[in-house]
Amino acid sequence: MSKKLGFRKALETKVKKSQVAAKKKAISIFTAMSVAHVDEEEPGYGEVRHVEKVLPKGDFYIGEWCDGLPHGNGKYLWTDGCMYVGEWFKGKIMGKGKFCWPSGATYEGEFKSGFMDGQGTFTGFSGDSYKGSWIMNLKHGQGIKNYYNGDYYEGEWRSGYQEGQGKYQWHNGNHYDGQWRNGLMNGDGTMVWSNGNSYEGSWEDGFPKGNGTFRWPDGSSYVGVWCKDGKEMNGTYNPSDSSTDNPDWDPRVVFWEYLTDCKICPGERMSILPSKKMPHWPGMSKSNDGRQRRMSDGKLNCRSWSSDMHDVSTTSEGDGDDGIESLCLEDSISRGSCVQFKMSKRRQGQTISKGHKNYELMLNLQLGIRHSVGRPGPAISLDLKSSAFDPKEKIWTKFPPEGSKHTPPHQSSEFKWKDYCPLVFRTLRKLFDVDAADYMISICGNDALRELSSPGKSGSFFYLTNDDKYMIKTIKKAEVKVLIRMLPAYYDHVRSFENTLVTKFYGLHCVKLTGTAQKKVRFVIMGNLLCTHYTIHRRFDLKGSSHGRTTSKPESEIDPSTTLKDLDLNYIFRLEKMWFEEFCRQVDKDCELLEQERIMDYSLLIGFHFREVPTPLNSEAVTPTGNEDHENEEAPRLSQTGKVQADSEPSGRSSIRLGINMPARVEKTVRKTDETQLVGEPTGVCYDVILFFGIIDILQDYDITKKLEHAYKSMQYDPTSISAVDPKQYSKRFRDFIFKVFVEDT
């Protein structure tokens, strides 16, 4: 302990000394040099020249300059001792460069809009280093990490944590080679201790869990089922011919003794990220002659700045949406005119309060969920028996107003509650990391649900929980049968593919109202794909067909909550190479499942948030522009049981995964005169976005109704343009279209 404290104090002293030295160096540079002030005469528009500028807050820039912005190669020194040397693009750190911290830590590699993004090497002041792939300040992809304490990791990373296949070598000689998740050993892997002992088998959250074998150097072994709490542990000790050990060896010693020296080093934390140091330049909103500049898409940038440059500052933390009152986007559906989107803070849907026609149904639903989830059951195993998927596996419960032995008294009318395949959905919730208590609070807490009218033709109603985490959809009896029929394949699929894009189902239930009507309401509980703290500026529902695939709303009623369709689409989505490859693989796998289960009419729901608001509403409104919001956004990141990632943004709140919080770019497209053209021509105008997407509406099979619809519409329209087609044809058309809309960002 004393050694650790001594090491920490030495590091702190080193940091303080280096910070003081860096500040002295910056001051000496600023006072010794005779430099041009930023207000002095600038060259003509588009002309590049070399400048040396001291900014009003004391920062210093030397390098290439164009239209009032750093553009080309240049060096920027902050008064706190931070420094960047490298490539700039229109005032943004973009391309290859080197960022230095006052402590002596450095990052050298690729940048995108101020973020460490691409291939790069971070070297910490304490001896930490990481060389590999980055996305938005987070280690993501293949990389090698050397820790200050002598530990070493080589393998895959995701959202700043070890995830995938990798090898971790401890400084004491122990090493683990296998699968990781969220920075912990998870999946199949082998741990080898320096004394020759080894464990090979399954891991969960950093500990052996499930089937595994512990071996000694003399050849003896212990084979069995492992569990940290010891309750479910059992196995067999197999001595070797030369073994002299006690056969009564307690396997729990692996947890309380052997693994104590196998902690994952947290690594060094960056004091501040380069993206948080990005300055705001007046030149990004005005040209040098004082006139408003046009952005790359020809729109006027309306933010006004003072000429003395006192607005130049580093960004502050925040959501990035405050102050956005309206947003104007150029749409294909508007034929080049400006569609106004009112950025209302009002939440979607109507709150179901007393007096609402479905108030009693909501109470029944909440009572039933509380009963189903709170019902005690056996320990959950992910290996389910076939009997759990039996369509007859359902539980009816009667809820009289006065209560019963198993149900509480309530103020609603008497009703019956049905749980379909309860063990399967309970296991699915565990598989999707849904905490039972949080689940009940979200759906059954004091806050009422919100009702959304159906955006489609199905007649279904949607209910959102107050925290937006879960969506409850009323469904038909035929859809219940489809879900139960495909449940075994669906379960195996989501268990095999952690990043599946298909809808996550958490429960399937039915409420039967008593009385003369004897009405049955069946509903499924799903994850809300667009549950995020980001404002979703755009959302699309894409199928790959053209007939009827356009919004029915007039232009004046279109807002960010409007779900647009295939013929409204005026973007293509550019993903980083690694994301794009994973996306293609997963879409193929998901479509194979749906085709195998004879499912059609599904769609890809896409929502995205502009990190840079493309254009303001009009010339009179003062709204954030593409030069500001982007940096105020918090970079998505992966939090692990509430801990702050040691070397990522401390303010980050969300994980990055396929289809969730994904950094990407969208490129504007323009259609030709052919109105049935699904994918327009790229314009070269791109925006940085946070992207969300998933495959929804997966409960429609190709039944007799759809076959008749196909036959009827095929006589009136082009058979390839209608939605109702054979599942095999639907899957191919869907994939062909999606792989045109999503492309690799080169």
Side-chain angles (χ1 to χ4, degrees), residues 45 66-69 90 282-296 298-302 627:
Y45 183 75
C66 180
D67 300 335
L69 300 169
K90 296 182 179 178
M284 296 179 82
S285 60
K286 280 192 177 184
S287 61
N288 301 319
D289 59 4
R291 294 174 301 180
Q292 290 174 323
R293 284 179 60 210
R294 289 187 177 271
M295 297 178 70
S296 56
K299 299 278 180 61
L300 283 176
N301 185 334
C302 303
N627 314 315

Side-chain angles (χ1 to χ4, degrees), residues 38 82 141 150 200 208 282 417 491 518 532-533 544 609 618 643 650 670 724:
V38 75
C82 290
E200 182 177 2
W417 172 264
Y491 179 82
Q518 293 284 305
T532 172
H533 68 280
H609 167 87
N618 54 54
K643 295 178 182 177
V670 176

Side-chain angles (χ1 to χ4, degrees), residues 52-234:
E52 296 177 1
K53 291 183 179 290
V54 171
L55 308 178
K57 292 195 175 182
D59 294 349
F60 178 76
Y61 175 79
I62 178 171
E64 292 177 295
W65 190 267
C66 180
D67 300 335
L69 300 169
H71 187 74
N73 288 299
K75 178 190 292 188
Y76 193 108
L77 288 89
W78 287 265
T79 53
D80 63 2
C82 290
M83 180 178 72
Y84 170 76
V85 181
E87 297 176 335
W88 295 76
F89 181 79
K90 296 182 179 178
K92 296 179 182 179
I93 296 174
M94 187 87 74
K96 294 183 178 180
K98 183 176 183 179
F99 189 92
C100 303
W101 284 264
S103 64
T106 62
Y107 168 83
E108 186 169 5
E110 295 175 304
F111 289 85
K112 182 180 289 185
S113 297
F115 289 89
M116 298 177 288
D117 199 302
Q119 294 296 313
T121 301
F122 171 79
T123 305
F125 69 88
S126 64
D128 259 17
S129 70
Y130 169 81
K131 182 178 182 180
S133 180
W134 301 73
I135 288 184
M136 292 180 70
N137 295 331
L138 301 175
K139 305 177 190 72
H140 196 102
Q142 287 289 333
I144 299 172
K145 172 87 172 179
N146 288 285
Y147 296 88
Y148 63 82
N149 67 348
D151 290 357
Y152 169 91
Y153 173 82
E154 180 175 5
E156 295 176 287
W157 297 76
R158 185 187 296 273
S159 302
Y161 289 97
Q162 298 96 330
E163 183 152 335
Q165 194 71 24
K167 180 178 181 179
Y168 193 103
Q169 178 84 41
W170 282 267
H171 62 279
N172 58 14
N174 303 339
H175 70 266
Y176 169 84
D177 194 348
Q179 294 176 318
W180 295 75
R181 185 182 178 188
N182 294 0
L184 296 172
M185 297 167 281
N186 207 99
D188 295 330
T190 301
M191 171 74 79
V192 179
W193 283 266
S194 57
N195 61 4
N197 293 344
S198 67
Y199 168 83
E200 182 177 2
S202 297
W203 296 74
E204 185 176 294
D205 296 334
F207 295 97
K209 177 70 180 290
N211 295 317
T213 301
F214 188 93
R215 289 186 173 86
W216 285 267
D218 63 4
S220 55
S221 63
Y222 178 90
V223 181
V225 177
W226 298 72
C227 184
K228 186 179 179 182
D229 59 17
K231 294 179 182 178
E232 300 176 14
M233 287 188 68
N234 62 80

Side-chain angles (χ1 to χ4, degrees), residues 216-438:
W216 285 267
D218 63 4
S220 55
S221 63
Y222 178 90
V223 181
V225 177
W226 298 72
C227 184
K228 186 179 179 182
D229 59 17
K231 294 179 182 178
E232 300 176 14
M233 287 188 68
N234 62 80
T236 304
Y237 177 80
N238 302 303
S240 66
D241 295 337
S242 60
S243 176
T244 57
D245 289 342
N246 186 352
D248 296 328
W249 177 77
D250 189 346
R252 289 177 296 177
V253 72
V254 172
F255 297 94
W256 68 56
E257 182 178 335
Y258 294 178
L259 289 173
T260 55
D261 291 332
C262 298
K263 305 294 183 184
I264 308 302
C265 182
E268 181 181 321
R269 176 174 177 169
M270 298 177 188
S271 57
I272 190 168
L273 294 166
S275 56
K276 292 292 184 182
K277 299 293 291 181
M278 281 277 287
H280 294 314
W281 301 93
M284 296 179 82
S285 60
K286 280 192 177 184
S287 61
N288 301 319
D289 59 4
R291 294 174 301 180
Q292 290 174 323
R293 284 179 60 210
R294 289 187 177 271
M295 297 178 70
S296 56
D297 60 356
K299 299 278 180 61
L300 283 176
N301 185 334
C302 303
R303 167 72 78 173
S304 62
W305 295 80
S306 59
S307 59
D308 62 3
M309 209 172 176
H310 285 298
D311 288 322
V312 175
S313 63
T314 55
T315 60
S316 58
E317 295 179 12
D319 188 72
D321 293 323
D322 295 338
I324 302 179
E325 297 173 359
S326 55
L327 172 65
C328 175
L329 298 174
E330 195 172 344
D331 261 63
S332 58
I333 58 172
S334 63
R335 303 292 185 265
S337 64
C338 225
V339 181
Q340 296 183 2
F341 295 98
K342 298 297 181 183
M343 299 302 291
S344 172
K345 294 293 183 182
R346 183 175 61 84
R347 305 175 76 186
Q348 279 186 278
Q350 179 186 2
T351 300
I352 305 177
S353 53
K354 199 164 186 177
H356 190 283
K357 63 177 181 179
N358 288 326
Y359 178 70
E360 194 165 290
L361 177 63
M362 182 191 74
L363 293 181
N364 297 347
L365 187 154
Q366 291 178 324
L367 284 166
I369 294 292
R370 189 179 291 116
H371 172 75
S372 298
V373 179
R375 184 193 304 126
I380 298 176
S381 169
L382 298 181
D383 298 318
L384 295 176
K385 297 179 180 178
S386 58
S387 58
F389 298 93
D390 193 323
K392 297 178 182 178
E393 189 68 19
K394 48 195 173 187
I395 301 174
W396 276 106
T397 305
K398 191 175 181 180
F399 281 78
E402 66 276 10
S404 67
K405 183 179 179 181
H406 301 291
T407 63
H410 57 88
Q411 298 177 351
S412 180
S413 302
E414 181 175 310
F415 69 95
K416 286 186 176 180
W417 172 264
K418 183 193 285 189
D419 266 331
Y420 296 90
C421 300
L423 181 58
V424 176
F425 285 103
R426 188 175 170 215
T427 310
L428 280 171
R429 291 194 294 272
K430 177 180 173 61
L431 195 63
F432 295 140
D433 293 325
V434 174
D435 181 78
D438 291 342

